[in-house]
Amino acid sequence: MNDAKIRVNKFSFYYGQSKALHDISVDVKENTVIGIIGPSGCGKSTFLRSLNRMNEIITDTKTDGEIIIDGRNIYDKDVDIVDIRRKIGMVFQKSNPFPKSIFDNVAYGLRINGAKDKNYIAQKVETSLQNAALWNEVKDRLNTNAFELSGGQQQRLCIARALAVEPEVILMDEPASALDPTATLKIEELIQKLKEKYTIIIVTHNMQQAARISDFTAFFMMGELKEYGETNKIFTSPAKKITEDYITGRFG
Amino acid sequence: MNTRQLKQIFGFNLLRICAGIIFLSIILILYDIASKGLNIISWEFIFSMPKKGMTEGGIFPAIVGTVMVTSITAIVSIPLGMGCAIYLNEYAKNGKLTRLIRLSIRNLSGVPSIVYGLFGVVLFVQLMNFGTSILSAGLTLGLMTLPWTVTASEEALKNVPKSYREGSLALGATKWQAIRTNVLPYAVGGMLTGTILGLARAAGETAPILFTGVAFYIPFIPKSVSSQFMALPYHLYVMSTQHPAIEQVKPIAYGTALVLIIVVFAMNLSAIILRYKLRKLKEE
């Protein structure tokens, strides 16, 4: 796969002395959904947060290897971390709207990236909310506080906020883990739609969810990538015994 | 009734007595000062100059002096303290040096105020050549309130959820953008609350201004920050212990004490109201 959007090459990650990720190598194609599954503490979130260098908020961390996005190692010294994070959006496990109006939440990323023109911002907010399938529910109350939205709406607002700055890749860290089935379904439908424009990497605890929405699945355990392949294959005829044990619910 | 219950009743009443003693002493102090000071307080007492060797007239210069000194204290303490807190909480790595800085700041709040006064004389009055003045006294008090401002500001910053910072950074904000647009707006209220409490303490201090600028008797309003000045706490000290006609000026002393208490109380009250309003805002 030479047309890989993201190429992870022998990537390792350390918290202090402890190694959390061991020599991960993986290629991600453009416009696909990658599901990352594995038991708690297996390093799947750490891996996800390595892709937009979000782990660097924590001090005393170290990396080895490369993560190449569009032909460029994002861990190179001369890479601007702000560019990386704008290009690679992130949706967190717990929806984290800011204590601002719905409009200002979506406009936030535009404004910090220097947008001034009011019409442009308003237009962008509308299309982002439409793309996040939230517009119809909030168009009449854009100025109310985002905290008044339901849990599922808040999470879609966070997706809209991420979309507004026009990322190319979207990282999602268990985006539906705190939502009820209806809200979860909406998020899953949304992910299918977003795939047309974006490359999506999603960490999930829910194996059915991974099977439903992802094109490729990566199975992590103890900081190692145990198996990676087309979702169909992973879930029907996994190459490794341990993968089979996990997806059939024998542990985890 | 068994011994367990007796012990319970005994313990409970002991605690009640502790609370009662504290409450009573506060009431006694307030009653004593209010009953002796209230009848001298009038618009004239507040807004006129002391006359005839301070045996008559008002305390206006002392009020103005205290307000001016406290303003200088605020100008020094607010930006410096908040800046230091932002650095410590947001930027500094949690290493040995940071811990040492934090420890020193905590310990500074335990340094006796007279020591700050002596330090102020050396640094501001002599070394920096500001002379005995409002400026020197305000700067000295500013140093003294810094531990309060820094500690309160750091607490306020810690109360802002981590997810606000992360969410902002994930959208491509620089660290400073994240702090300025998505952390400070939600911390500034708490920062101010702590700062006001520190300033209220500074307004009532005598020792730090004793050598750095306060004067015994200046029956006019200070012209600039480089003048000497009268201040409420020192005026109170003078009127109650230093004045030659001590019996005659006693009512003035009590009036001054009452005004000082009201000023400090008003500042504390504004901090409480501010905190209450912000809490309500957060719940909304």
Side-chain angles (χ1 to χ4, degrees):
Chain A
M1 280 202 277
N2 279 327
D3 56 341
K5 177 84 180 162
I6 303 172
R7 162 163 284 173
V8 181
N9 190 12
K10 289 192 175 152
F11 184 78
S12 298
F13 187 86
Y14 304 80
Y15 292 109
Q17 292 301 310
S18 80
K19 197 172 184 180
L21 292 174
H22 300 262
D23 291 335
I24 310 292
S25 292
V26 105
D27 281 359
V28 176
K29 258 201 216 161
E30 201 162 2
N31 296 2
T32 52
V33 178
I34 316 299
I36 301 180
I37 58 170
S40 300
C42 68
K44 48 191 195 303
S45 283
T46 302
F47 176 67
L48 195 75
R49 292 166 69 92
S50 298
L51 295 172
N52 66 344
R53 292 179 57 177
M54 211 56 187
N55 283 324
E56 286 170 35
I57 295 176
I58 313 158
T59 50
D60 201 19
T61 59
K62 209 183 85 186
T63 62
D64 260 337
E66 310 171 303
I67 294 179
I68 296 162
I69 297 180
D70 290 335
R72 191 141 198 219
N73 181 12
I74 61 165
Y75 282 88
D76 269 351
K77 280 216 161 60
D78 57 342
V79 164
D80 186 357
I81 195 165
V82 167
D83 278 348
I84 297 293
R85 291 189 183 139
R86 200 196 51 68
K87 196 163 144 188
I88 302 166
M90 185 166 219
V91 177
F92 296 84
Q93 179 172 6
K94 203 171 160 289
S95 62
N96 61 342
F98 305 142
K100 306 176 193 291
S101 72
I102 293 169
F103 185 92
D104 285 342
N105 260 280
V106 184
Y108 182 85
L110 299 167
R111 287 179 180 144
I112 55 163
N113 283 299
K116 293 256 169 13
D117 184 59
K118 280 198 175 132
N119 291 327
Y120 169 78
I121 292 176
Q123 187 55 46
K124 205 77 201 156
V125 167
E126 181 175 340
T127 49
S128 304
L129 284 168
Q130 269 164 352
N131 289 337
L134 189 62
W135 175 252
N136 287 332
E137 291 159 61
V138 300
K139 64 181 176 205
D140 300 322
R141 47 174 178 146
L142 290 173
N143 289 319
T144 52
N145 194 302
F147 286 165
E148 284 174 31
L149 297 173
S150 73
Q153 288 172 327
Q154 287 189 12
Q155 195 60 295
R156 276 180 283 144
L157 179 69
C158 292
I159 294 175
R161 191 173 69 190
L163 296 181
V165 295
E166 298 180 338
E168 293 168 23
V169 179
I170 301 173
L171 310 173
M172 296 188 176
D173 192 355
E174 300 189 46
S177 65
L179 303 180
D180 64 49
T182 325
T184 302
L185 186 67
K186 276 197 175 148
I187 300 271
E188 288 185 7
E189 284 169 1
L190 179 60
I191 290 170
Q192 291 304 321
K193 207 182 78 185
L194 291 174
K195 192 174 89 172
E196 295 163 14
K197 280 198 203 154
Y198 308 92
T199 308
I200 297 169
I201 302 178
I202 173 170
V203 164
T204 176
H205 241 95
N206 180 330
M207 266 173 295
Q208 284 76 31
Q209 186 173 63
R212 277 196 300 269
I213 61 173
S214 66
D215 304 309
F216 293 86
T217 298
F219 171 55
F220 274 72
M221 214 183 126
M222 315 270 286
E224 287 176 34
L225 178 62
K226 293 290 184 193
E227 193 166 347
Y228 177 63
E230 284 184 32
T231 300
N232 265 336
K233 188 170 169 296
I234 297 268
F235 278 91
T236 51
S237 53
K240 288 186 180 163
K241 176 87 170 51
I242 191 156
T243 314
E244 189 181 345
D245 285 351
Y246 182 73
I247 58 175
T248 53
R250 245 164 260 176
F251 69 94
Chain B
M1 212 184 284
N2 60 30
T3 37
R4 245 172 22 135
Q5 278 166 324
L6 275 175
K7 271 185 190 165
Q8 144 98 350
I9 290 167
F10 175 75
F12 177 65
N13 280 310
L14 198 69
L15 297 177
R16 183 141 70 178
I17 289 167
C18 292
I21 289 172
I22 291 169
F23 182 68
L24 258 180
S25 43
I26 292 171
I27 293 293
L28 267 176
I29 294 171
L30 285 180
Y31 174 76
D32 182 54
I33 291 170
S35 64
K36 291 173 187 157
L38 211 51
N39 45 8
I40 191 170
I41 289 189
S42 62
W43 291 119
E44 214 213 315
F45 180 70
I46 291 172
F47 288 112
S48 68
M49 302 292 156
K51 276 175 255 172
K52 297 186 184 163
M54 295 188 286
T55 53
E56 278 173 35
I59 54 167
F60 192 52
I63 294 177
V64 173
T66 290
V67 168
M68 285 179 81
V69 166
T70 312
S71 309
I72 301 244
T73 307
I75 292 168
V76 176
S77 165
I78 290 175
L80 213 57
M82 287 186 179
C84 176
I86 293 169
Y87 172 74
L88 283 178
N89 200 55
E90 307 291 332
Y91 285 97
K93 290 191 174 136
N94 206 4
K96 268 194 188 126
L97 186 68
T98 316
R99 280 204 292 270
L100 190 71
I101 293 175
R102 249 191 213 117
L103 189 72
S104 342
I105 291 171
R106 300 270 141 85
N107 279 324
L108 270 182
S109 64
V111 171
S113 55
I114 188 81
V115 177
Y116 280 102
L118 290 170
F119 181 73
V121 173
V122 175
L123 184 64
F124 301 124
V125 177
Q126 295 170 351
L127 209 64
M128 297 173 101
N129 220 2
F130 293 148
T132 45
S133 61
I134 294 180
L135 188 61
S136 295
L139 290 171
T140 308
L141 285 174
L143 280 186
M144 197 193 73
T145 49
L146 270 181
W148 264 264
T149 321
V150 174
T151 312
S153 301
E154 253 202 289
E155 280 313 307
L157 288 169
K158 282 205 175 75
N159 280 336
V160 178
K162 213 176 82 188
S163 65
Y164 292 8
R165 296 174 178 86
E166 285 195 341
S168 181
L169 291 174
L171 291 167
T174 61
K175 197 161 183 177
W176 171 240
Q177 278 181 316
I179 292 169
R180 186 173 53 81
T181 61
N182 227 16
V183 176
L184 285 185
Y186 311 113
V188 76
M191 290 169 130
L192 281 179
T193 311
T195 306
I196 294 172
L197 293 176
L199 290 179
R201 181 182 176 245
E205 276 289 348
T206 316
I209 59 175
L210 195 56
F211 316 124
T212 51
V214 79
F216 198 78
Y217 179 38
I218 302 176
F220 47 81
I221 303 299
K223 285 193 186 68
S224 75
V225 290
S226 50
S227 331
Q228 284 193 301
F229 61 101
M230 292 179 79
L232 286 171
Y234 186 65
H235 188 60
L236 173 57
Y237 167 70
V238 168
M239 298 309 263
S240 50
T241 61
Q242 307 293 304
H243 200 281
I246 202 123
E247 278 308 311
Q248 198 189 341
V249 298
K250 213 169 208 171
I252 297 181
Y254 274 103
T256 310
L258 191 57
V259 171
L260 180 58
I261 285 178
I262 290 169
V263 168
V264 171
F265 185 71
M267 288 176 83
N268 285 344
L269 194 69
S270 65
I272 290 167
I273 291 169
L274 188 67
R275 183 158 42 191
Y276 176 76
K277 281 205 166 147
L278 287 165
R279 197 174 296 156
K280 261 181 85 180
L281 210 71
K282 216 181 249 177
E283 279 163 9
E284 266 166 19

